[in-house]
Amino acid sequence: MTKIIFYLTAFILLFACNTQAQDTKHKGEQGQKTFESQVKSIATKIENITKEEKSALKLEVEAVDVKLEKGQITKDEADKEKQNLAEKRAKNIEVRVAVEQEKLNNLVQQKVEGKIKVTDSTQTYTIVIPAKLSKDNFKRHEKRTTSQFVLAFGANNLVTDKAVANSDFYYWQSHFFEWGFTNNTRIFKYDNLLHLKYGFSVMYNNLCPTDNRYFVPASNNQTNLEVFPYELADSRFKNVYLFAPLHLEFDFSKNKSNQGSSHFNTHKGVRFGIGGYGGFRIKSKQKLFYSVDDDKVRIKTKGDFNANDFIYGVSTYLGYKETSLYLKYDLNPLFENNTIDQNNISLGIRFDFN
């Protein structure tokens, strides 16, 4: 726990210093929409994209089944066609979500530069720890399990030699993005404090090396940072993971009473979660952008880069209502065989939309 606190403190200080150094002389406001409302709008679009593509895939698969029943195609042909359709829809989701992710990145950057209206930060909140409810005043139809759409983003980096200071990667340009779905189950029937939060998420971890460098897999199964022969406009290494988070959540939301009956509220007050996650790597990709004379060159390289196929770690969050400060730390190193272990750490903002 001491190590995690150390990493959190160091990362917050470095992130704060990097943010303060940015140019803020062109501050303004972006319409009347708050940052939270715009983020929620993007989250809804991502959720709708997933639903639309899944619905379309279902109709296409049903059409293939009809052709199979009529004897127009063989079972092997049907299986192959279904696989191609699934890959196509998965690609559509990735491309469409990437567009919304870019919007989100721009939105975060504008917030950092002070160009977006924010809610009043001078508000204070009273934390009320609810008393235990008895069976007599509890509604029988109260739901113990709710579901949320999770959206998180922020800074991402690697812990090297037990430190994140003097990193080989830019602090703000290196970022993470996560989206997924969770269930939130109240552990005790008549007490609202403890909840079990579980589900699945897709996570994108990006690293931007400093000093005009890029990742090079070596013959000895090492992955090294080397200087690129041309001046790089951008060097970006991305790993995509599918993982299952599990948290014990303390929810201090105040209970609501109506005509003698008590209702449990969730995500209406201060919340604190602690737990971990485990999953596997979907893909790794490196993007390089540079110019040769007047020609602009873009190189995208896919491969495993000797990265670990599996991921597991610890995570925690603390916040009010749907918004939380979110910290994740991988317990296993990013690269499988490197002589020096480098573990991924992420710090950012998390939204849990009911």
Side-chain angles (χ1 to χ4, degrees):
M1 181 60 70
T2 303
K3 292 182 179 179
I4 297 301
I5 294 174
F6 170 78
Y7 295 146
L8 174 60
T9 304
F11 205 86
I12 290 175
L13 289 174
L14 291 168
F15 178 72
C17 292
N18 183 73
T19 302
Q20 290 176 357
Q22 298 184 34
D23 183 12
T24 59
K25 63 181 179 180
H26 298 296
K27 288 185 178 180
E29 288 191 354
Q30 182 176 313
Q32 297 299 319
K33 292 184 178 180
T34 64
F35 175 71
E36 291 82 358
S37 65
Q38 293 181 75
V39 168
K40 192 167 185 176
S41 175
I42 293 175
T44 301
K45 288 181 181 178
I46 292 176
E47 186 176 5
N48 290 338
I49 287 171
T50 305
K51 289 180 179 179
E52 290 171 5
E53 294 296 336
K54 286 184 176 180
S55 297
L57 177 61
K58 182 179 179 182
L59 294 176
E60 291 171 341
V61 170
E62 290 175 351
V64 173
D65 288 335
V66 170
K67 290 195 292 184
L68 179 62
E69 291 176 0
K70 292 181 178 180
Q72 297 175 353
I73 56 175
T74 65
K75 188 177 184 304
D76 289 340
E77 291 173 335
D79 291 340
K80 185 176 181 180
E81 189 170 344
K82 288 178 182 179
Q83 182 178 353
N84 291 335
L85 291 171
E87 292 175 354
K88 175 186 174 183
R89 290 298 171 182
K91 182 64 175 178
N92 287 351
I93 292 176
E94 180 180 352
V95 172
R96 296 177 67 187
V97 168
V99 174
E100 300 304 321
Q101 182 182 350
E102 184 63 27
K103 292 180 183 178
L104 185 62
N105 291 340
N106 293 335
L107 186 65
V108 173
Q109 185 64 34
Q110 292 177 40
K111 184 177 185 297
V112 171
E113 295 174 354
K115 297 180 179 178
I116 297 180
K117 179 182 177 182
V118 297
T119 54
D120 184 7
S121 60
T122 63
Q123 291 182 356
T124 58
Y125 305 96
T126 302
I127 302 173
V128 179
I129 302 177
K132 289 187 176 180
L133 301 180
S134 65
K135 186 176 181 180
D136 295 333
N137 66 358
F138 181 75
K139 279 197 169 185
R140 295 181 181 274
H141 62 269
E142 181 72 36
K143 290 184 178 181
R144 293 179 64 176
T145 298
T146 58
S147 60
Q148 295 81 38
F149 175 73
V150 176
L151 183 67
F153 52 87
N156 188 68
N157 220 289
L158 293 183
V159 175
T160 306
D161 291 332
K162 301 181 180 180
V164 74
N166 303 315
S167 174
D168 290 327
F169 309 93
Y170 291 107
Y171 292 110
W172 178 244
Q173 289 91 330
S174 302
H175 57 267
F176 82 94
F177 177 78
E178 175 187 335
W179 64 274
F181 300 91
T182 61
N183 285 329
N184 188 15
T185 300
R186 191 173 69 252
I187 295 177
F188 300 111
K189 190 173 183 180
Y190 304 115
D191 191 306
N192 195 40
L193 180 61
L194 297 179
H195 294 251
L196 193 63
K197 199 171 180 70
Y198 52 94
F200 73 91
S201 290
V202 179
M203 178 169 58
Y204 307 80
N205 286 344
N206 289 273
L207 293 169
C208 294
T210 59
D211 301 326
N212 206 63
R213 292 177 295 177
Y214 71 119
F215 282 106
V216 179
S219 57
N220 58 354
N221 291 328
Q222 300 282 305
T223 301
N224 306 316
L225 276 177
E226 297 184 6
V227 177
F228 196 70
Y230 298 97
E231 184 67 27
L232 288 169
D234 189 20
S235 174
R236 189 173 302 276
F237 180 55
K238 179 171 71 174
N239 289 284
V240 184
Y241 300 93
L242 178 64
F243 68 99
L246 177 64
H247 293 94
L248 178 65
E249 182 176 280
F250 298 81
D251 193 327
F252 297 95
S253 300
K254 185 177 180 180
N255 297 327
K256 182 179 180 181
S257 296
N258 183 22
Q259 297 180 348
S261 298
S262 295
H263 304 260
F264 286 130
N265 285 326
T266 59
H267 296 77
K268 299 297 182 182
V270 172
R271 297 182 299 114
F272 169 70
I274 186 169
Y277 52 90
F280 59 91
R281 181 174 57 87
I282 299 176
K283 67 177 181 180
S284 297
K285 181 190 296 184
Q286 182 167 242
K287 297 181 181 180
L288 303 175
F289 301 87
Y290 62 97
S291 297
V292 179
D293 296 329
D294 294 330
D295 296 327
K296 293 185 178 181
V297 182
R298 298 185 178 185
I299 299 177
K300 297 181 181 180
T301 306
K302 294 182 179 180
D304 60 20
F305 288 86
N306 301 317
N308 265 308
D309 291 328
F310 298 97
I311 184 176
Y312 59 91
V314 292
S315 56
T316 185
Y317 55 89
L318 173 65
Y320 179 76
K321 292 188 176 179
E322 62 191 18
T323 308
S324 304
L325 181 66
Y326 187 33
L327 172 69
K328 299 188 281 91
Y329 176 70
D330 292 355
L331 294 177
N332 62 325
L334 172 60
F335 298 109
E336 188 172 3
N337 298 307
N338 278 16
T339 54
I340 298 177
D341 288 344
Q342 293 181 298
N343 299 58
N344 200 88
I345 187 169
S346 304
L347 176 66
I349 302 298
R350 170 183 172 127
F351 296 93
D352 293 76
F353 298 114
N354 273 311

